[in-house]
Amino acid sequence: GAGVSQSPSNKVTEKGKDVELRCDPISGHTALYWYRQSLGQGLEFLIYFQGNSAPDKSGLPSDRFSAERTGGSVSTLTIQRTQQEDSAVYLCASSYHTGVNTEAFFGQGTRLTVV
Amino acid sequence: SQKIEQNSEALNIQEGKTATLTCNYTNYSPAYLQWYRQDPGRGPVFLLLIRENEKEKRKERLKVTFDTTLKQSLFHITASQPADSATYLCALDTTDKLIFGTGTRLQVFP
């Protein structure tokens, strides 16, 4: 596609429910990243993929968070048993490859509100 | 862990002036540093990348400096315009991911 696409753009869920956030990266980009941005805050790294593997999951806040990527393309971030502190904008980015010297292209984000 | 500091307070300047934003980091020696612009409700957009052996990088009205001794990068917008109003994020370019600062909100008023 022309850019990184995320869906849904907005999601309101009840506390305790599971949610799935989807990211469709730019075609041909092997690297895919998930970040979280709370109101007025910077971007918090969650996880990245090189192809279908996730070498670095260090940013996932708890075991309620998981992510997968299939076919080297679409990625899904799943949050189980959502809590109010999970409310944030979840941003996905892709780049041609991992490593230094490569710019990241971001989607518009999914705004998650847990009530 | 890496710590990246940007001015948390908004920077308000008058149109036509030069805006200067600061990014300081600790506990890391990145080979590259990137700057992004973020508008409300949107994802960040890449602006410039500077390498550790480059003291200065320019792109149109934008200029970035990178002092690895001070562990600091400065981001300048010359002849600022109201359309430059946004949040600007610096990011350390590590071996496998970008680590972002909290960003500085710039407001350019006519």
Side-chain angles (χ1 to χ4, degrees):
Chain A
V4 177
S5 178
Q6 291 187 248
S7 61
S9 54
N10 282 284
K11 176 71 175 179
V12 180
T13 189
E14 293 181 351
K15 178 181 173 180
K17 299 285 189 182
D18 297 352
V19 294
E20 283 190 355
L21 312 181
R22 175 187 168 107
C23 173
D24 204 336
I26 293 173
S27 177
H29 280 192
T30 61
L32 185 148
Y33 311 84
W34 283 99
Y35 290 86
R36 178 170 73 173
Q37 187 171 35
S38 301
L39 187 62
Q41 302 297 310
L43 275 68
E44 175 189 4
F45 170 78
L46 298 179
I47 187 172
Y48 88 92
F49 290 88
Q50 176 58 41
N52 290 335
S53 64
D56 190 346
K57 304 178 182 180
S58 63
L60 294 178
S62 73
D63 58 8
R64 296 186 295 105
F65 288 71
S66 63
E68 65 175 13
R69 188 180 186 194
T70 56
S73 180
V74 173
S75 176
T76 302
L77 177 69
T78 302
I79 309 173
Q80 296 178 311
R81 305 181 301 283
T82 52
Q83 304 294 313
Q84 287 186 330
E85 60 262 29
D86 298 335
S87 297
V89 175
Y90 289 81
L91 289 160
C92 174
S94 71
S95 62
Y96 186 65
H97 57 78
T98 56
V100 298
N101 194 21
T102 180
E103 66 180 274
F105 295 83
F106 282 84
Q108 81 283 5
T110 293
R111 181 175 298 278
L112 175 66
T113 304
V114 182
V115 297
Chain B
S1 62
Q2 300 92 347
K3 185 176 180 181
I4 308 166
E5 293 183 339
Q6 296 185 254
N7 290 348
S8 58
E9 294 183 7
L11 178 63
N12 298 307
I13 64 167
Q14 190 172 24
E15 181 177 12
K17 301 292 186 181
T18 296
T20 298
L21 287 69
T22 304
C23 175
N24 295 294
Y25 59 93
T26 58
N27 298 337
Y28 197 77
S29 298
Y32 299 83
L33 190 145
Q34 300 188 19
W35 283 88
Y36 286 75
R37 169 183 172 143
Q38 186 174 26
D39 291 283
R42 309 294 294 272
V45 174
F46 172 81
L47 294 175
L48 279 169
L49 176 150
I50 186 166
R51 298 172 176 78
E52 63 176 345
N53 61 354
E54 293 179 313
K55 297 301 181 185
E56 182 179 296
K57 190 82 167 280
R58 293 176 183 264
K59 179 182 176 182
E60 299 175 348
R61 294 183 296 109
L62 308 181
K63 184 179 83 171
V64 172
T65 62
F66 192 11
D67 189 324
T68 55
T69 301
L70 294 178
K71 293 186 180 293
Q72 181 181 79
S73 176
L74 298 179
F75 178 81
H76 307 272
I77 305 176
T78 59
S80 59
Q81 304 167 359
D84 296 326
S85 298
T87 296
Y88 292 86
L89 302 155
C90 69
L92 300 187
D93 197 338
T94 73
T95 54
D96 50 19
K97 60 183 180 285
L98 291 170
I99 303 172
F100 284 85
T102 53
T104 298
R105 189 165 65 86
L106 172 67
Q107 184 71 41
V108 181
F109 56 92

